[in-house]
């Protein structure tokens, strides 16, 4: 019985000499080579990174998270993530939001979000700094004008509009979420208004 127990223990110890990763991925630099003796104090033997799909983790303001959850009906997975690579090129594979943290980072008033992004061509690399863009489940329709057409003074933002008599008038506007190229106008303009976009510096009401 004693010899059988020793044999069983030897088989268990032998099984411990082979370590199998629970994931598929790319292996990094090996710290220990075959034939070396290792023990619990040897540290990390090697790192393996899952490559497809990849996780992208980013912070978003708490207010924005609440708005997104309300618009998505509490279904975070319906939100689409687009990724801009470090060279400024948009990654061609859209991802899905799959996790919203359960606490707020107090000093920044943000919440951590995580998305899953396909990586079939291995273009994304672990630890890479990218820009994440969240697309709402419902596209937002808004009037938009070139950002260069919007001016500002002490009263706020305004544009120059050509009326039906071909006269220029100053029109106060309120802006929504905008990009460097386009400004979304939430109030002050109506569809069909003619907005001056060229020669603004020479225009007067």
């Amino acid at each position: 019985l004693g010899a059988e127990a020793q044999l069983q223990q030897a088989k268990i110890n032998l099984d411990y000499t082979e370590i199998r990763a629970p994931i598929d991925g790319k292996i990094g630099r090996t710290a220990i080579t075959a034939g070396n003796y290792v023990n619990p104090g040897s540290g990390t033997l090697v790192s393996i990174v899952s490559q497809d799909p990849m996780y992208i983790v980013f912070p978003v303001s708490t207010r924005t998270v609440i708005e997104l959850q309300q618009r998505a009906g509490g279904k975070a997975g319906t939100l689409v993530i687009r990724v801009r690579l470090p060279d400024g090129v948009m990654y061609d594979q859209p991802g899905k939001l799959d996790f919203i943290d359960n606490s707020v980072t107090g000093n920044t008033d943000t919440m951590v979000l995580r998305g899953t992004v396909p990586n079939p061509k291995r273009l994304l690399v672990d630890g890479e700094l990218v820009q994440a863009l969240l697309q709402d489940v419902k596209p937002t329709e808004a009037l938009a004008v070139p950002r260069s057409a919007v001016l500002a003074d002490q009263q706020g933002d305004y544009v120059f509009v050509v009326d039906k008599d071909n006269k220029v008038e100053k029109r106060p506007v309120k802006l929504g979420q905008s990009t460097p190229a386009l400004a979304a106008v939430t109030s002050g303009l109506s569809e069909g208004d003619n907005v001056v976009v060229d020669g603004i510096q020479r225009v007067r009401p």
Side-chain angles (χ1 to χ4, degrees):
L1 291 179
E4 290 180 356
Q6 290 179 356
L7 177 61
Q8 184 65 27
Q9 184 63 48
K11 290 181 178 179
I12 294 174
N13 291 338
L14 181 62
D15 288 339
Y16 286 156
T17 63
E18 184 175 317
I19 302 174
R20 294 184 176 272
I23 61 171
D24 291 329
K26 184 178 182 180
I27 192 170
R29 182 174 59 88
T30 304
I32 304 295
T33 58
N36 292 135
Y37 174 76
V38 296
N39 57 41
S42 299
T44 302
L45 303 182
V46 70
S47 295
I48 300 176
V49 176
S50 176
Q51 289 189 295
D52 187 19
M54 296 285 281
Y55 286 135
I56 177 170
V57 181
F58 52 97
V60 174
S61 70
T62 305
R63 179 178 177 180
T64 301
V65 172
I66 294 174
E67 291 176 354
L68 288 172
Q69 287 178 320
Q70 291 175 343
R71 291 180 64 87
K75 298 179 181 179
T78 60
L79 297 176
V80 177
I81 298 176
R82 304 295 305 197
V83 176
R84 180 175 285 119
L85 301 175
D87 59 0
V89 175
M90 290 298 298
Y91 184 55
D92 62 355
Q93 297 283 341
K96 285 189 176 182
L97 187 68
D98 70 343
F99 172 78
I100 299 177
D101 205 354
N102 60 359
S103 61
V104 177
T105 304
N107 58 342
T108 59
D109 192 28
T110 59
M111 298 179 69
V112 174
L113 277 60
R114 188 188 72 184
T116 304
V117 182
N119 191 31
K121 299 179 182 178
R122 308 298 191 263
L123 294 179
L124 299 178
V125 181
D126 181 49
E128 187 175 20
L129 184 62
V130 299
Q131 186 177 13
L133 295 90
L134 271 178
Q135 289 185 347
D136 200 350
V137 62
K138 297 179 180 178
T140 301
E141 294 185 357
L143 291 174
V145 297
R147 195 69 179 84
S148 58
V150 181
L151 303 174
D153 58 16
Q154 293 180 346
Q155 283 72 44
D157 297 312
Y158 66 91
V159 297
F160 286 124
V161 177
V162 179
D163 63 17
K164 60 182 180 180
D165 298 323
N166 286 329
K167 292 183 179 180
V168 174
E169 66 177 46
K170 178 181 175 181
R171 184 80 61 82
V173 294
K174 290 185 178 180
L175 303 182
Q177 293 186 359
S178 303
T179 69
L182 293 175
V185 180
T186 58
S187 67
L189 287 178
S190 300
E191 186 175 356
D193 285 340
N194 293 319
V195 178
V196 179
V197 298
D198 292 324
I200 295 177
Q201 303 304 325
R202 301 188 300 272
V203 173
R204 297 291 182 272

